[in-house]
Amino acid sequence: MSARGWNATHIEVETGKHAIVELPELRNRVKVFRDREHAGEVLAGMLAEYRGTDTRVLGILAGGVPVAAAISRALDLPLDVAVVSKITLPWNSEMGYGAVAFDGTVQLNDALIQNLGLAHRDVETGIARTREKVNSRLRRFRAEPAAALAGHAVILVDDGLASGFTLLTAIAAVQHAQPARLWVAVPTGHGDSAQRIAAEVDALYCANVRTTHGFAVADAYERWSDVSEDDAFELLRAARRPDGTAH
């Protein structure tokens, strides 16, 4: 954070019994992070009280992993990956109507499915295809987050919060593992989605909350590009001991 002169001062906006923790000087601004690593360093400043504690950091594959890796390094916390994948439309691989998480949790956008007129068999085929994709990534990343989260505090990290549907699926999967506490940390997020996410977890840390129209996660970054699975794999490998366990 010192690179931009920001300090760890933040504010908490109560949403019921839960809080959105943000940096007020970044509200409704764009191009506030150099890249995902810098964004993770900013979030680490907001999360400094958890340094060296019994807390796990989970980065959502793939874009959340560079952010999570920076938090893990700065706070000396173990890092793992949360594998969650959108269930995409047969004719549009960018648009999702649901998501599958690492523990098999499936959440569907029923309203969108109905509006698009998707047949039940198409939805089931999409779920099966996405579940296999998730299982393949779990094998590659040797990721077993559910087995290691019970009773621990968890920081679930992504690179931004737009609609939040995939993140909500990841939250449900983590909660099934019965962590002691669950916080979500994202560098940037839309104000409406931030309130929805905050209602599901103990607190949401979001440095750059934006309530303006035309929200795009990429607008918070000076340098933005897709993160490949190979990139994420190397970051996770570097954060692990030789025996494969996270440190």
Side-chain angles (χ1 to χ4, degrees), residues 7-12 20-25 45-49 205:
N7 55 43
T9 301
H10 57 256
I11 62 172
E12 295 188 8
I20 299 172
V21 184
E22 64 172 291
L23 294 176
E25 64 268 36
M46 300 172 66
L47 295 158
E49 64 186 291
Y205 290 79

Side-chain angles (χ1 to χ4, degrees), residues 99-120:
V100 177
F102 55 84
D103 71 337
T105 294
V106 177
Q107 293 197 349
L108 299 173
N109 186 333
D110 293 324
L112 180 59
I113 290 170
Q114 183 174 357
N115 288 340
L116 293 172
L118 284 174
H120 177 74

Side-chain angles (χ1 to χ4, degrees), residues 178-201:
Q178 299 184 317
R181 301 285 300 277
L182 174 56
W183 303 289
V184 166
V186 290
T188 186
H190 189 276
D192 291 342
S193 297
Q195 291 190 31
R196 286 195 295 272
I197 295 297
E200 301 297 325
V201 296

Side-chain angles (χ1 to χ4, degrees), residues 11 33 44 55 63-64 70 76 126 189 209 232 245:
I11 62 172
F33 309 115
T55 301
D76 191 24
V209 176
T245 61

